[in-house]
């Protein structure tokens, strides 16, 4: 026969077989977080490095355009007084102007012939300068071009010399500026070093943070796996004060509940098997006695066999009750309907007549009409019958059992009184526990196993009601059960 | 069927590739015909005129004259002889090619006239036997009051920039044998009108060419900045310079810098700075005020 192990088999999942603390999923999550931090920061750093530089460049271009155009314009207006731009006249005026700055200045006449050029080498004076900037200026446009390359700003400007409403020539200016470029380069270098420092800080920070986060997650994950494998005593360490800490708390509570449930289940199974053993042992003993006695007296044998019958009856009752309990546990429910409690009480009283007569107990019923309850037929009958059976069994000879039902404050109340010995105060809270018996010897004799009241409680609570036992001093026991009054008419479906 | 189509496509591709020959070179007998670029359209044009190499069928002069009137095949170029302008006839004598231009030529003035003249001159003067081009219209030189005869040398298409010029500067280094600062000449490429101070200092920090000389300054000296104002050259050095003892004494180091700089025409004295602030005491040298030549 296959061994039924009480603990779940510890199965090793593929993930769990990896090194502890390095769970596959946790590693991926950490990577995701770290990558997203890094991606954001890289994007920001790229922007940080490129945008200010571009803006600075364009500002400098604009400044250069202003300054070059102004200078070229100044030269052009000085020359505008001449009728024709000749080398001699232009040279004179340029000498007076004495322009400063790292620039090349070329002045041409209306045909593009250079009349002045301040270059020491490759001077173009006396030749036609075939440059688009100059010819565009000769056509009347103001030209400006600037570029930042190889560590310097190179800018060119060309403006026409206008005199008496016509173009006399063109002024061309070229500027080479390494100074501004150096400042810009220094700015760029500073930003690069700041970016590098920032990037490394962020890298470190993101790894640390993501690892901290992922470690807590992987702890939880590991905890879940351990509990799933059956280690209900495992608890997760609570770290920090955020949602993950709450998650850890919830996990621990859940596991605690699991552990309690598991313990209760084991206890139930242990108790059940213990209860089953007793009648089976009796049957064995009786059968052995019969078999071992050679010439057993027929009447004694009859007696023994009768006892065997009684014990097997007890077994049957016990197994029925166990079945009822497992059904309750498995939550397999019969459909509910609107039932009249009075009818159930009357039926239970009728069924109890033989037992009552045997015990010498009289049963009184005082049930009001209109006690409608939403319940299952079998379940409700079980409740009423169990309570009334208990009242009959734990009674004194010539005693009475009273079953009452009435409606009060929107609730249907069932009271079962008896004139029995009563229950001690310390036992009262525990009577509804499974397998709990107040008077062990007496109840076994009476055939009970301590399950009836727990079935009653579970069923009452399933129908939205509650039940309690009262035992006033001086004897007698009273069971009080109350249910919500069904708003529907009798017989209707739930 | 599919295979056949593929084969045909491949053949067409090959034919296409074979069709686009590389540009002809002078070795093949090609001539350069100059065309104006689209310079009027935007500021960003690189040049005013561009040569296109073509192989003339027969006599190059009529070929070029014809080509100059055509719109060139290449992108972004315009005809050298605009709308209606053409050479009605031409004569060549003593290297002078006289072109008798159409009446439309008279309508050209200023920039556009120069462009046309330039394209014609640059193209034709490169041909054998032609050294000068003379323009005429209706039997008379045009422009009447200006230049009507051109050679290729009359034009230049060079970009007008400041070309760095190798300028000799004198720098002072230390001679360990004579235990004195010795001058050494270096050539520095500076643009005209550019300030030489920065370059002087950079080369001074690099060290001497002559292996018998040594730099009077600590190795790895870096220049933070330099500026010139009213004859005083402000030299900004990092704190590490002032903290490191120089190899041949503080006085020598200061002298090396000062003497090298004051040789420049525009520098009378040198004011030392440490990272923008007034320089601290440097050995036995007080650098609070500008240091003159020594």
């Amino acid at each position: 026969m296959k061994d039924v192990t009480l603990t779940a088999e510890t199965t090793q999942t593929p993930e769990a077989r990896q090194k502890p603390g390095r769970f596959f999923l946790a590693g991926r999550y950490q990577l995701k977080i770290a990558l997203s931090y890094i991606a954001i920061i890289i994007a920001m750093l790229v922007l940080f490095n490129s945008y200010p530089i571009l803006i600075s460049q364009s500002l400098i271009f604009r400044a250069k355009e202003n300054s070059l155009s102004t200078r070229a314009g100044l030269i052009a207006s000085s020359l505008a007084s001449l009728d024709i731009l000749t080398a001699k006249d232009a040279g004179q005026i340029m000498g007076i102007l004495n322009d400063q700055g790292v620039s090349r200045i070329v002045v041409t006449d209306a045909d593009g012939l250079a009349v002045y050029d301040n270059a020491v080498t490759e001077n173009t004076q006396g030749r036609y300068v075939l440059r688009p900037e100059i010819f565009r200026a000769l056509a009347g446009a103001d030209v400006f071009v600037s570029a930042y390359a190889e560590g310097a700003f190179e800018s060119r400007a060309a403006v026409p010399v206008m005199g008496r409403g016509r173009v006399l020539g063109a002024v061309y200016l070229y500027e080479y500026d390494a100074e501004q470029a150096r400042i810009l380069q220094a700015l760029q270098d500073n930003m690069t070093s700041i970016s590098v420092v920032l990037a490394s800080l962020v890298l470190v920070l993101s790894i640390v943070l993501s690892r901290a986060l992922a470690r807590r997650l992987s702890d939880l994950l590991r905890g879940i796996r351990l509990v799933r494998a059956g280690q209900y005593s495992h608890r997760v360490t609570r770290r920090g004060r955020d949602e993950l800490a709450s998650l850890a708390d919830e996990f621990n509570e859940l596991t605690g509940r699991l552990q309690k449930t598991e313990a209760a289940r084991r206890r139930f199974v242990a108790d059940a098997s213990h209860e089953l053993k007793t009648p089976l042992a009796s049957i064995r003993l009786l059968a052995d006695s019969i078999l071992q006695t050679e010439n057993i007296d027929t009447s004694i044998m009859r007696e023994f066999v009768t006892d065997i019958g009684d014990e097997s009856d007890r077994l049957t009752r016990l197994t029925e009750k166990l079945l009822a309990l497992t059904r309750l546990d498995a939550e397999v429910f019969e459909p509910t309907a609107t039932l009249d409690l009075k009818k159930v009480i009357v039926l239970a009283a009728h069924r109890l007549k033989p037992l009552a007569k045997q015990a010498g107990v009289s049963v009184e019923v005082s049930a009001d009409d209109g006690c409608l309850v939403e319940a299952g037929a079998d379940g409700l009958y079980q409740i009423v019958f169990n309570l009334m059976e208990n009242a009959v069994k734990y009674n004194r000879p010539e005693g009475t059992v009273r079953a009452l039902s009435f409606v009060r404050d929107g609730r249907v109340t069932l009271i079962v009184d008896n004139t029995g010995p009563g229950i001690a105060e310390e036992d009262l809270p525990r009577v509804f526990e499974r397998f709990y018996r107040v008077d062990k010897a007496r109840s076994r004799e009476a055939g009970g196993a301590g399950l009836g009241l727990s079935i009653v409680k579970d069923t009452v609570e399933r129908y939205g009601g509650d039940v309690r036992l009262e035992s006033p001093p001086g004897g007698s026991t009273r069971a009080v059960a109350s249910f919500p009054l069904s708003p529907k008419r009798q017989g209707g479906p739930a | 069927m599919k295979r056949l189509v593929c084969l045909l496509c491949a053949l067409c591709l090959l034919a296409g590739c074979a069709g686009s020959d590389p540009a002809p070179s002078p070795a093949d007998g090609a001539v350069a015909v100059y065309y104006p670029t689209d310079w009027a359209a935007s500021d960003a044009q690189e040049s005013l005129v561009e040569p296109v190499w073509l192989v003339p069928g027969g006599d190059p002069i009529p070929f070029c004259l014809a080509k100059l009137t055509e719109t060139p095949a290449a992108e972004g170029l315009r005809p050298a002889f605009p709308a209606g302008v053409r050479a009605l006839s031409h004569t060549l004598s003593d290297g002078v090619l006289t072109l008798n231009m159409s009446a439309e030529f008279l309508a050209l003035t200023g920039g556009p006239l120069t462009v046309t003249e330039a394209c014609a001159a640059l193209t034709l003067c490169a041909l054998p036997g032609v050294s000068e081009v003379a323009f005429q219209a209706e039997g008379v030189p045009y422009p009447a009051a200006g230049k009507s005869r051109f050679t290729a040398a009359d034009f230049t298409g060079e970009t007008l920039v400041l070309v760095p010029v190798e300028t000799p500067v004198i720098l002072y280094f230390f001679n360990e044998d004579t235990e004195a600062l010795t001058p050494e000449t270096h050539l520095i490429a500076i643009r005209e009108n550019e300030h030489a101070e920065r370059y002087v200092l950079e080369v001074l920090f690099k060290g001497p060419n002559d292996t018998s000389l040594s730099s009077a300054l600590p190795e790895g000296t870096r220049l933070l900045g330099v500026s010139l104002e009213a004859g005083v050259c402000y030299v900004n050095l990092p704190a590490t310079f002032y903290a490191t003892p120089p190899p041949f004494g503080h006085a020598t180091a200061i002298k090396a810098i000062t003497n090298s700089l004051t040789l420049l025409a525009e520098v009378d004295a040198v004011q030392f700075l440490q990272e923008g602030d007034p320089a601290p005491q440097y050995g036995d040298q007080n650098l609070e005020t500008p240091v003159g030549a020594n």
Side-chain angles (χ1 to χ4, degrees), chain A residues 186-338:
Chain A
L187 176 68
Q188 197 159 17
D189 291 341
N190 276 344
M191 298 186 93
T192 307
S193 19
I194 293 175
S195 304
V196 166
V197 170
L198 270 179
S200 8
L201 268 178
V202 163
L203 197 70
V204 168
L205 200 68
S206 69
I207 290 176
V208 165
L209 278 179
S210 67
R211 187 179 295 178
L213 179 69
R215 186 161 58 108
R216 288 159 76 190
L217 278 176
S218 79
D219 276 351
L220 268 172
L221 209 58
R222 187 163 53 90
I224 290 173
R225 290 205 180 97
L226 283 173
V227 168
R228 174 154 59 90
Q231 202 176 315
Y232 296 122
S233 56
H234 181 81
R235 296 290 182 275
V236 171
T237 331
R238 184 185 199 275
R239 273 188 259 259
R241 277 179 301 204
D242 55 8
E243 290 90 334
L244 281 181
S246 311
L247 190 60
D249 284 342
E250 293 296 327
F251 171 81
N252 287 343
E253 263 202 51
L254 193 67
T255 313
R257 186 102 64 86
L258 260 176
Q259 198 176 20
K260 267 193 230 146
T261 310
E262 178 69 9
R265 183 173 71 86
R266 289 189 201 173
R267 207 179 47 234
F268 177 80
V269 172
D271 287 344
S273 62
H274 178 76
E275 292 300 320
L276 287 171
K277 268 196 246 163
T278 317
L280 285 170
S282 304
I283 294 174
R284 182 76 258 169
L285 189 65
L286 290 161
D288 283 344
S289 303
I290 298 173
L291 292 170
Q292 277 159 21
T293 314
E294 284 280 337
N295 296 319
I296 187 164
D297 194 24
T298 317
S299 60
I300 295 178
M301 190 169 76
R302 274 202 100 76
E303 205 183 305
F304 279 11
V305 170
T306 314
D307 285 340
I308 288 175
D310 287 342
E311 288 299 320
S312 60
D313 279 344
R314 193 197 312 175
L315 261 178
T316 311
R317 278 197 303 277
L318 183 60
T319 50
E320 273 169 13
K321 287 201 174 129
L322 281 174
L323 205 62
L325 271 175
T326 54
R327 270 206 215 99
L328 280 170
D329 282 349
E331 306 201 349
V332 176
F333 299 141
E334 57 171 342
T336 55
T338 315

Side-chain angles (χ1 to χ4, degrees), chain B residues 162-263:
Chain B
L162 287 167
V163 180
V165 172
E166 294 285 341
T167 316
V169 289
I170 295 173
L171 303 166
Y172 282 90
F173 297 102
F174 194 73
N175 189 327
E176 292 191 68
D177 301 324
T178 62
E179 293 199 359
L181 282 174
T182 324
E184 188 185 59
T185 308
H186 285 237
L187 282 176
I188 301 181
I190 320 179
R191 288 170 171 78
E192 303 153 34
N193 295 3
E194 205 173 5
H195 290 291
E197 300 87 60
R198 176 175 284 271
Y199 296 99
V200 164
L201 285 169
E202 279 174 3
V203 178
L204 190 68
F205 294 163
K206 256 200 238 145
N209 290 337
D210 192 341
T211 44
S212 63
L213 299 173
S214 326
S215 173
L217 306 169
E219 196 170 315
T221 304
R222 216 166 39 95
L223 179 67
L224 290 182
V226 59
S227 62
L228 182 69
E229 222 170 303
V232 177
C233 180
Y234 294 84
V235 178
N236 194 7
L237 295 165
T240 50
F241 170 78
Y242 296 99
T244 322
F248 304 107
H250 297 90
T252 316
I254 296 298
K255 247 212 242 172
I257 295 177
T258 313
N259 288 0
S260 304
L261 281 175
T262 47
L263 279 178

Side-chain angles (χ1 to χ4, degrees), chain A residues 86-117:
Chain A
T86 61
K88 180 155 161 275
D89 295 335
Q92 233 171 5
I93 292 184
M94 293 310 297
I96 296 169
L97 278 177
N98 194 23
D99 189 273
Q100 300 277 353
V102 188
S103 331
R104 172 117 178 234
I105 306 175
V106 175
V107 180
T108 73
D109 66 7
D111 295 326
L113 178 73
V115 296
Y116 174 83
D117 185 348

